[in-house]
Amino acid sequence: MQVRSLFLLLALILVAATAEAGKNKKEKAKKDVSKCEDWRWGPCVPNSKDCGLGYREGTCKDESKKLKCKIPCNWKKKFGADCKYKFESWGGCSAQTGLKTRSGILKKALYNAQCEETVYVTKPCSSKIKSKSKGQFPRLVS
C-alpha cells in the first residue's frame, strides 16, 4: 500500500513540475513577441568566411533583433540565398562560348530582400555525350 501511495505522490510531483516548466516557456515566448509589424531585415552575414552559420539583423522603429541564419557552402550564386527562383531547363550548348544558359523567375524574396525579377546562369557544356538508349540484357531462355 505504501508503494502505491509513494508512486502516486511521485506522479503528482512530476505532473506539477511539467506544468510549471510549460508555463515558463510560454512566458518567455510572450516576452520575445514584438508589437512592431514593419521589420526590415538585412542579409545573412556568416560568422566566418563566406558561408556557414551566421546572423541577420533586423530593425523596426527603435527595436533591433538578431536572428540566426545559415548560408549553404555550395551557394555561390550572385543573387544571394534570400532570393528563391523557379528555373527553366538548360538551353543548348553554344559552340562559340562552350556554355549553356538558363533563366530563373523570382518565386519568393525572403526577409524583404532586394531581388532581381529574372536572373540568368551559365555553366560549361558537358564534354560527355549522353546516350538515351537503355542497356538491354540478354534474356535467358530455358
Side-chain angles (χ1 to χ4, degrees):
M1 187 70 169
Q2 284 183 342
V3 174
R4 281 188 183 171
S5 59
L6 182 63
F7 180 70
L8 183 61
L9 181 63
L10 207 59
L12 287 173
I13 291 172
L14 183 64
V15 168
T18 305
E20 189 65 30
K23 192 184 296 184
N24 288 341
K25 284 183 181 179
K26 287 180 184 177
E27 289 174 4
K28 284 182 182 177
K30 287 181 183 177
K31 288 179 184 176
D32 292 343
V33 174
S34 172
K35 292 180 182 177
C36 192
E37 296 177 6
D38 191 29
W39 283 94
R40 302 284 179 199
W41 296 99
C44 184
V45 179
N47 292 333
S48 63
K49 300 187 182 179
D50 61 348
C51 64
L53 295 176
Y55 65 93
R56 173 189 317 278
E57 290 186 10
T59 57
C60 184
K61 298 180 184 173
D62 297 338
E63 296 181 56
S64 63
K65 286 186 183 180
K66 281 188 178 182
L67 293 179
K68 292 179 183 177
C69 61
K70 182 178 180 181
I71 298 177
C73 289
N74 62 352
W75 194 262
K76 302 294 183 191
K77 298 187 174 51
K78 65 180 179 182
F79 40 86
D82 291 336
C83 302
K84 304 296 179 190
Y85 292 91
K86 171 81 174 154
F87 285 94
E88 54 187 39
S89 299
W90 286 102
C93 184
S94 168
Q96 296 170 335
T97 61
L99 300 172
K100 46 184 166 179
T101 306
R102 71 176 177 173
S103 63
I105 298 171
L106 183 64
K107 188 168 76 170
K108 184 189 282 187
L110 304 175
Y111 297 100
N112 301 329
Q114 301 297 317
C115 303
E116 296 179 41
E117 285 297 318
T118 305
V119 294
Y120 298 93
V121 289
T122 59
K123 72 175 186 179
C125 297
S126 175
S127 59
K128 296 180 182 177
I129 299 173
K130 294 182 180 178
S131 63
K132 293 190 178 190
S133 63
K134 294 183 179 178
Q136 296 290 326
F137 294 104
R139 290 178 68 182
L140 297 175
V141 180
S142 21

